[in-house]
Amino acid sequence: MTLPYYEDPGPGHGALPARAWFRSDAPCIDLTGTWRFHLSDTVAGAPDGCWAPDFDDSGWLDLPVPSSWPMHGHGRPAYTNVVYPFPVEPPHVPTDNPTGDHRRRFTVPANWANVPAVLRFDGVDSCARVWLNGHELGVTRGSRLPAEFDVTGVLRPGAENVLAVRVHQWSSGSYLEDQDMWWLPGIFREVTLLARPAGGVPDLFVHAGYDHRIGTGTLRVDTTADATLTVPDLGLVDAAVNTEHVLGGVRPWTPETPDLYDAVVATATERVRVRIGFRTVAIVDGVLTANGQRIQFRGVNRHEFHPDLGRVVPPETVRAELELMKRHNVNAIRTSHYPPHPLLLDLCDEMGFWVVDECDLETHGFQWFDWRGNPCDDPAWRDALVDRMRRMVERDKNHPCVVMWSLGNEAGVGTNHGAMAQYARERDPDRPLHYEGDRDCRWTDVYSLMYPPVDEVARIGRREEAPTSDPGLDARRRAMPLILCEYAHAMGNGPGGLADYQRVFEQYERCQGGFVWEWLDHGIRQRTSDGREFFAYGGDFGEELHDGNFVVDGLVFPDRTPSPGLTEFAKVVEPVRIEAGPDGSGTLRVTNRYDHRELDHLRFTWVLEEEGHAVADGELPVPQLPPGGHADLDLPQLPRTSGETWLTVRAVLVGDWPWAQAGHVVAWGQLPVRPAPLPSDAWPSGSRPRHGTGGGPGTDRGTVGGGGGGGGVMLGPAVFDPARGTLVELFGLPVDGPRLDVWRAVTDNDCGSRRGVRFAEQWRELGLHRMHHRLVALTYADDAVVVRTRVAAAQQQVGLLVTYRWTADADAVGLQVAVAPDGDWPPVPLPRLGLRMAVPADLDTVDWYGPGPGEAYPDSRCAARVGRWSATVDELQTPYVYPQENGNRVDARWLRLTDRSGTGLLVTGHPVVDFTARRWTSEQLDAARHTTDLVPGDRIHLNLDLGQTGLGSGSCGPEVAERYRLPVAPARFAVTVRPAG
Ligand code: GAL
């Protein structure tokens, strides 16, 4: 039985040979806009003959093109990561195959008569059959790849034309497009009619190299056209194509210096504009270099997604997100896991990014079957795979930003990869090949891994990795640079541990950086019935199989506001390091970590802050430093201070850049100048415990057992509930607590993955989320109330013995807490260790002195700098799409919670305290599934912590490293509380 066209495993048919995407002065007609649309549930049910020009589509709906039709109320989005949402029987697809018929009428000027023309589709998901004026042009698959059809002779210049496009959600191509993302059918990129004048430029291939040893550029533009080449800024006028020009005085292209030269390739009938960037990418002695310099990827994986539009990302959004990346020191993008919209590459050329351009190929669902049946190893699919590679390479070959081609993602290994690689190598020998899925690196030039732990990266850096099966391949791989095509899983709160990876990238020449997974949360904007906005994820659209919130794992939220992970990334990868000089030298070290440039675009400013107040500032002269160079500089003349003092030095842009204005902070460092003096005020003491109802303990020593007492026990400004040993009132404010807290609303990274440790599960097994507090004793001495409790979960023998020692004077209350593990605890870290207390809801302004302004955790705190900060309780929350622990501030010296009148509490750490403050409890946060589940209560829940366990990357990568885990171990900490103001 012959297969229907949408199940044919071969490439589509009818399209023209692939070629470069370029701008020309030949006329073109943009066919985006409002089209007519009709959705059918099955292919057979689609309206017959609707491609005929006179078909009556008046009963159809309007739909914008480009669009992902489920985002416009037709059908529903569906999310799966690895699994196919249909039975795996390639190349067959379900009978229930949403099929969208699209029609567009347009007129073509009469002067197009006798001009050859093509119709270009930049992206259709997943299979399109195309008719113009009732004439079938062909079929295209390869969703994120262009297809051009020759319409010469079919087009009616001077008249109305009718374009009909039938799009099937499922096709043989769906087996090749099993990327971890929403399934979203539609014509999601532009449709354009292009005049292709006879004698024009059918295609061109720019080869622009740079010889760093002699500082010359080489330029050859290959084309079959009878054309000339003009590059005004290089003095080339009507120069020959297909000839190498050696050019002196060329400024090389790098992401740090994205110098482009405008060029025109002209024939008698067409002028094509290209922008040329001179650079030579080569692997030299096992190191990936550009223009002779080792390069480092400070990269992100970028999917194309928009929370309202699906796969359609408006150009202004793309530009804005690239600007955001630049401002956060991102220098590289892996276009996971398909070629991006062509505009992205133009902007990357212009703004300066390395791009790993990835083929539209992923067959991950076959991993379930040990890759049996994988199309990548089946000759029947070979042409389709090579076709995909060809269409990417041809389209994108002229972009200096494209540093490597990638054969795809998570598609196992098969001989078809070899055929794809062979195509790319023969066509474009100047770019290395990437593919992560083959541990033997048979077809590639770089060794690529995802999510290895830091120590494995270091081992590879030392070339001490375990050998692969074949000695020849092993030797080859051992000589390759290492790239982490994915690392640091930014799902929810995280990733932790970025700085540890960065250290290894900087230490080992072979380790050339990586790409954080991933740039963007793919949440879909929705509203509750009462109009509150939230972002939906897998399962929210009733999918039969789905992978929940695994689709929201980016450094920016779905609306592209940065999450704290991005701020941390920007700090960790900053291209200038500012730190204390060698021990005892009293100097400041500035290191140029750019790959290619000096620091002449930056100036260095300093400010001296005493307890968060600026006391002096100035400019710091920094000599020019070559890439990799450093200078140890004397500190500026600083005034004497007496309080805790920090010197902050910032590297800021001198002038405006397309992505940031003068003054933008590229890098910063903070040096301690003077530590905090020892506290001058004595620990509060002197108040005597007494019963609030009279009588009471007086000055006698005594014990109040659980439940005993009656009436409040008072100590200075603190009133206790003697039944529980917690406070009910403090400085006249109603409070509840504090009591020991070990729980946090688990993060995605706490939940782990199938492969790794699942802390959240272990914590729940231990019952850390449902601890009981048994009052062992409440004793009072001359000047103290001592509360002892045992904290443990139901059906657990292990527990924590806690001693709270309270003292007070008229103005302050002191609390010393000692914690000792009781019983035989398993080797599991605690989520947190600290105190939780509820305070009135109107104490909702928080000021603090310590690291800030953003949230921080033990393995993600580089971006926090010591200063005085202020935020409302609402502003302290990070609205992770899937609610979880967030908003922690570390090492506060003090924090003040006040209401509008300035009344409230001042908490001082001894010496420091971590805190979170929110309008819901950790349990409510833990139970919430969407941000709109979080409803403010009538109190603020304040955590004052000794610490928390770090974040790690456990939702897909390594769990939090040992040294960032909070052990179950004896611990002590102390705070004092005073009235604010
Ligand atoms: C990788 C994969 C990505 C994404 C990530 C987890 O294995 O290449 O597409 O699924 O894991 O978020």
Side-chain angles (χ1 to χ4, degrees), residues 26-68:
C28 65
I29 298 176
D30 174 9
L31 296 178
T32 60
T34 305
W35 291 40
R36 303 295 283 164
F37 177 72
H38 179 274
L39 183 64
S40 311
D41 296 340
T42 62
V43 180
D48 205 20
C50 67
W51 46 87
D54 57 358
F55 178 84
D56 177 9
D57 62 15
S58 58
W60 289 17
L61 301 165
D62 281 347
L63 182 76
V65 168
S67 61
S68 294

Side-chain angles (χ1 to χ4, degrees), residues 248-303:
V250 158
R251 295 184 308 275
W253 187 95
T254 75
E256 296 155 9
T257 54
D259 280 307
L260 294 170
Y261 291 89
D262 288 323
V264 174
V265 175
T267 68
T269 56
E270 185 178 19
R271 290 166 64 79
V272 169
R273 282 176 292 137
V274 281
R275 293 186 303 179
I276 295 172
F278 291 87
R279 92 285 181 284
T280 293
V281 172
I283 296 173
V284 181
D285 296 334
V287 175
L288 180 65
T289 63
N291 307 336
Q293 294 271 16
R294 171 182 183 259
I295 58 173
Q296 255 213 72
F297 295 125
R298 304 172 165 99
V300 295
N301 280 277
R302 176 183 179 274
H303 265 286

Side-chain angles (χ1 to χ4, degrees), residues 81 180 303 334 337 362 364 409-410 450-451 486 489 517 550 553 956:
N81 169 13
D180 174 6
H303 265 286
R334 173 176 176 233
H337 300 298
E362 173 157 343
H364 203 173
N409 184 59
E410 296 187 319
M450 39 173 91
Y451 309 108
E486 294 176 29
H489 202 241
W517 187 267
F550 209 62
D553 52 0
C956 191

Side-chain angles (χ1 to χ4, degrees), residues 820-834:
D822 187 29
D824 197 8
W825 280 80
V828 174
L830 292 174
R832 70 155 19 105
L833 186 66

